[in-house]
């Protein structure tokens, strides 16, 4: 009898696929989605990948190639992508109650308890593909294995090899077939094995997935630590990683974004910083945490060495841990005053919340009355509910600015927010 079985469902070229759902003319058109301020390619269509364009390639370096092959570039549309991700997850939850949202485009499901309802894991995977495509328009691939690492590997096989028709179940293979496939895949494709680990593994003669699977786990632990040892065990079929139904609370929260252009004005920096604080505070309340200290930083453009460089940061401890946006904004404003200097062209600012604790474990204070705490809790709760219902930023502090914000990032080629904005709904003619 089989033990735990995991499926990894991954949306193919997620950002690109989201754009194509609402613009069918883009099917088979070479296209990329760019990072903040339209800087680098963070998603590439298969047509662009075939041209040899690597992840992270700056858009300005692709201009000649874009003209030659008609490559289209889109600004990141995070609002659309987040909503489409939620829709995919809602579809997948109907297949298994045991689900972990691993990233915006990937989810793990435990399927050993429910696969028989669909005629087996492979048939269940095909059913998931069909339903996600029908209900959201997005293409997905499914990998199934006895561990999360093997499910991830199976998903890689499903994506790269048409013979699997989008679904790969390692349990349907013979041992010889699994060994053959593992011998063909570079160790760098293993979940959690990055460039530096790959280089170190190469020195030990571990070049493929099969090599890592056959390595002595204790030797791996000695050279690389317990994390890679678990990966080695998972490749052997020993499940070491369980599903995380609830994402663990973050120990730090960072909010930061590059400006659309260089900023020298302190007032504009404060608007940007206040917006970052508000966004971070929403995340803080969402995970029911309090912040005991915050760090504020400024950065000039390191890619312009001819300009004066200045990259300060300051840590501000708070008198009482809080999740109140207004209190956190005042603390951040004070920190900005400490580190701001005239004569520099700033490219980025941000805030990091530190010393996070659970709100349920809040220690009573001698300097703040229960009335003040209740008022703050009600106010922040009301603001969050309104922003969740009517859209982010519907209500914000005046420190975030009320006019056109010169510091906002460039997104000149952003598509419409088709699913979340009334004024940008798709139009059928």
């Amino acid at each position: 009898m089989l033990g735990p079985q995991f499926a990894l469902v991954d949306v193919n070229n997620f950002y690109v696929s989201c754009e194509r759902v609402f613009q069918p003319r883009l099917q088979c058109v070479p296209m990329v989605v760019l990072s903040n301020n339209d800087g680098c390619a963070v998603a590439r269509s298969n047509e662009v990948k075939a041209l040899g364009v690597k992840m992270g390639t700056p858009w300005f370096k692709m201009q000649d190639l874009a003209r030659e092959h008609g490559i289209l570039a889109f600004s990141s549309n995070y609002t659309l992508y987040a909503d489409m991700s939620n829709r995919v997850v809602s579809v997948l939850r109907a297949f298994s109650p045991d689900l972990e949202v691993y990233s915006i485009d990937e989810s793990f499901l435990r399927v050993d308890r429910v696969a028989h309802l669909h005629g087996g894991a492979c048939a269940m995977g095909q059913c998931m593909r069909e339903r996600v495509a029908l209900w959201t328009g997005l293409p997905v691939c499914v990998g199934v294995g006895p561990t999360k690492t093997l499910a991830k590997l199976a998903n890689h096989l499903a994506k790269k090899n048409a013979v699997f028709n989008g679904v790969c179940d390692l349990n349907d293979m013979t041992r010889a077939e699994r060994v053959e496939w593992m011998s063909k895949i570079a160790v760098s494709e293993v979940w959690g094995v990055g460039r530096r680990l790959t280089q170190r593994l190469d020195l030990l003669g571990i070049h493929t997935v099969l090599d890592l699977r056959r390595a002595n786990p204790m030797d791996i632990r000695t050279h690389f630590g317990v994390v890679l040892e678990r990966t080695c065990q998972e490749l052997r079929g020993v499940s070491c990683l369980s599903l995380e139904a609830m994402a663990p609370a973050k120990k730090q929260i960072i909010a930061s974004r590059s400006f659309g252009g260089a900023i020298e004005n302190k007032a504009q920096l404060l608007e940007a910083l206040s917006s970052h604080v508000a966004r971070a505070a929403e995340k803080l309340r969402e995970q029911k945490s309090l912040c005991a200290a915050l760090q504020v930083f400024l950065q000039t453009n390191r890619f312009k060495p001819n300009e004066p460089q200045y990259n300060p940061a300051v840590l501000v401890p708070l008198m009482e841990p809080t999740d109140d946006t207004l209190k956190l904004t005042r603390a951040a404003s004070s920190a900005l005053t400490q580190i701001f200097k005239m004569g520099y062209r700033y490219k980025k600012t941000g805030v990091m919340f530190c010393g996070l604790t659970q709100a349920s474990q809040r220690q009573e204070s001698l300097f703040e009355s229960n009335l003040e705490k209740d008022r703050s809790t009600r106010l922040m709760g009301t603001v969050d509910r309104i922003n969740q219902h009517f859209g982010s930023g519907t209500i914000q502090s005046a420190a975030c600015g009320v006019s056109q914000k010169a510091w906002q990032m460039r997104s000149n080629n952003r598509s419409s927010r088709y699913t979340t904005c009334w004024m940008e709904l798709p139009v059928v003619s």
Side-chain angles (χ1 to χ4, degrees):
M1 182 176 179
L2 292 177
Q5 295 295 312
F6 300 91
L8 176 67
V9 183
D10 185 8
V11 182
N12 303 339
N13 302 328
F14 180 60
Y15 289 2
V16 169
S17 296
C18 287
E19 300 291 349
R20 285 176 167 172
V21 167
F22 299 96
Q23 301 185 71
R25 65 181 179 82
L26 297 176
Q27 295 294 336
C28 301
V29 173
M31 58 178 291
V32 296
V33 176
L34 303 176
S35 60
N36 293 346
N37 293 309
D38 297 342
C40 305
V42 293
R44 303 153 295 155
S45 67
N46 289 334
E47 297 80 10
V48 172
K49 291 178 183 179
L51 296 174
V53 176
K54 303 297 183 184
M55 178 71 81
T57 302
W59 174 238
F60 75 89
K61 290 186 177 181
M62 297 171 54
Q63 297 303 302
D64 292 340
L65 193 68
R67 282 190 290 269
E68 180 181 355
H69 296 279
I71 299 175
L72 301 181
F74 287 78
S75 304
S76 293
N77 190 341
Y78 299 118
T79 304
L80 174 65
Y81 306 153
D83 185 67
M84 293 299 288
S85 175
N86 292 335
R87 290 170 185 239
V88 172
V89 170
S90 68
V91 174
L92 297 179
R93 287 195 189 280
F95 286 90
S96 174
D98 302 317
L99 181 146
E100 173 191 338
V101 180
Y102 177 67
S103 67
I104 193 170
D105 61 345
E106 295 175 288
S107 292
F108 284 103
L109 297 87
R110 184 163 175 179
V111 298
D112 50 285
R113 302 184 183 106
V114 293
H116 67 281
L117 300 175
H118 302 272
C122 194
M124 180 178 177
Q126 292 295 348
C127 187
M128 285 191 284
R129 291 188 73 223
E130 293 169 6
R131 193 174 301 179
V132 170
L134 181 64
W135 290 8
T136 70
L138 295 172
V140 302
C141 283
V142 182
V144 181
T147 70
K148 291 172 74 175
T149 303
L150 286 174
K152 186 90 168 173
L153 182 68
N155 187 278
H156 173 80
L157 289 172
K159 274 188 174 182
K160 301 296 182 180
N161 300 276
V163 66
F164 294 108
N165 193 26
V167 178
C168 175
D169 182 0
L170 295 181
N171 298 298
D172 287 347
M173 297 182 185
T174 65
R175 185 179 183 279
E177 288 173 332
R178 287 195 295 270
V179 166
E180 183 178 0
W181 280 112
M182 288 182 177
S183 67
K184 296 177 180 179
I185 304 174
V187 72
S188 58
E189 297 294 342
V190 175
W191 184 27
V193 177
R195 180 175 56 84
R196 292 184 179 179
L197 267 181
T198 299
Q199 293 172 349
R200 293 175 61 192
L201 288 168
D202 281 342
L203 295 176
L204 295 178
I206 299 175
H207 309 294
T208 68
V209 176
L210 184 61
D211 293 335
L212 183 57
R213 182 183 183 277
R214 287 176 170 173
N216 186 312
M218 293 309 298
D219 290 343
I220 294 296
R221 181 170 186 164
T222 300
H223 287 91
F224 302 97
V226 68
V227 175
L228 194 60
E229 181 205 2
R230 288 175 184 161
T231 299
C232 183
Q233 294 282 17
E234 289 242 322
L235 289 175
R236 291 166 167 243
V238 180
S239 182
C240 303
L241 304 172
S242 58
L243 289 184
E244 294 182 359
M246 295 289 293
K250 295 180 179 178
K251 297 181 180 180
Q252 294 179 333
I253 294 178
I254 300 175
S256 177
R257 193 166 288 172
S258 298
F259 306 139
I263 296 295
E264 300 179 66
N265 184 288
K266 181 184 174 184
Q268 292 179 341
L269 286 174
L270 179 58
E271 285 186 3
L273 180 60
S274 299
S275 296
H276 297 329
V277 169
R279 192 167 75 252
E282 288 179 0
K283 296 179 181 178
L284 188 70
R285 293 190 291 272
E286 186 177 353
Q287 70 174 37
K288 295 179 173 55
S289 295
L290 302 175
C291 169
L294 58 84
Q295 183 183 63
V296 171
F297 59 88
L298 292 170
Q299 292 179 5
T300 49
N301 193 338
R302 62 188 177 91
F303 297 106
K304 294 186 177 180
N306 295 330
E307 293 186 359
Q309 298 295 309
Y310 178 53
N311 301 286
V314 61
L315 181 67
V316 179
L318 302 176
M319 183 173 294
E320 300 291 341
T322 185
D323 60 4
D324 189 309
T325 299
L326 302 181
K327 295 177 182 178
L328 293 165
T329 300
R330 284 195 292 270
S333 175
S334 174
L336 180 65
T337 300
Q338 293 181 48
I339 60 177
F340 173 77
K341 288 184 179 180
M342 294 289 294
Y344 293 95
R345 290 165 53 82
Y346 297 101
K347 182 62 177 175
K348 188 176 186 179
T349 188
V351 63
M352 178 171 67
F353 290 172
C354 316
L356 304 190
T357 58
Q358 293 183 15
S360 60
Q361 298 176 354
R362 178 183 227 155
Q363 187 173 356
E364 294 299 324
S365 169
L366 295 174
F367 306 101
E368 185 179 26
S369 68
N370 288 332
L371 180 61
E372 289 179 291
K373 290 179 185 177
D374 292 342
R375 184 183 301 153
S376 171
T377 300
R378 290 198 304 273
L379 175 60
M380 292 299 106
T382 301
V383 169
D384 288 343
R385 286 192 295 273
I386 291 175
N387 286 337
Q388 288 167 5
H389 185 77
F390 292 101
S392 179
T394 301
I395 291 185
Q396 58 185 7
S397 68
C400 297
V402 293
S403 57
Q404 183 66 30
K405 301 175 176 64
W407 48 268
Q408 286 186 321
M409 70 175 186
R410 291 193 305 272
S411 55
N412 299 326
N413 299 315
R414 180 181 64 77
S415 57
S416 299
R417 294 164 293 182
Y418 300 103
T419 62
T420 58
C421 180
W422 286 107
M423 302 304 294
E424 299 177 17
L425 290 175
V427 177
V428 179
S429 58

